[in-house]
Amino acid sequence: MKKIYLLFSTLFIFSVVLNAQPVKVGYFSYQKSMHATAATVQEDPLLVMLQNDPNFMVYVNILSDVSDTIPTSLDGYDVVVIQEAFSSSCNILKSGGSLGMAS
């Protein structure tokens, strides 16, 4: 009985792993003027790492407006990454803003 249970459990785990869908990552960055020698958003090491991993499906969102009224939805993402280009004083990151913790 234990062998049958172990076999069933192993097959179940393999079926879950093999059928796993990539994790949907929403990557948000703020478009602003940077120093000429600064890396671009596309060169961010974290973004490059996520894009090169087949376990993640990365959706890059470059925002030029950081008001609290910008219609940014977090629906559909399993994980959200907010790049350091944002200032902590940006309204979009405050409670009630579409990228705020309460949202």
Side-chain angles (χ1 to χ4, degrees), residues 63-84:
L63 306 175
S64 58
D65 180 11
V66 291
S67 68
D68 56 355
T69 59
I70 187 169
T72 300
S73 174
L74 302 180
D75 293 341
Y77 299 123
D78 300 312
V79 176
V80 173
V81 176
I82 300 175
Q83 206 267 349
E84 65 183 343

Side-chain angles (χ1 to χ4, degrees), residues 85-102:
F86 289 98
S87 164
S88 60
S89 63
C90 291
N91 288 334
I92 199 170
L93 297 178
K94 293 181 180 176
S95 181
S98 58
L99 293 180
M101 293 294 278

Side-chain angles (χ1 to χ4, degrees), residues 21-54:
Q21 297 295 316
V23 174
K24 296 176 190 164
V25 178
Y27 181 92
F28 291 85
S29 185
Y30 176 47
Q31 182 66 47
K32 64 180 184 180
S33 297
M34 303 287 278
H35 190 274
T37 61
T40 65
V41 170
Q42 288 75 16
E43 297 170 328
D44 182 346
L46 178 61
L47 177 60
V48 172
M49 179 187 69
L50 290 171
Q51 289 177 325
N52 288 329
D53 189 324

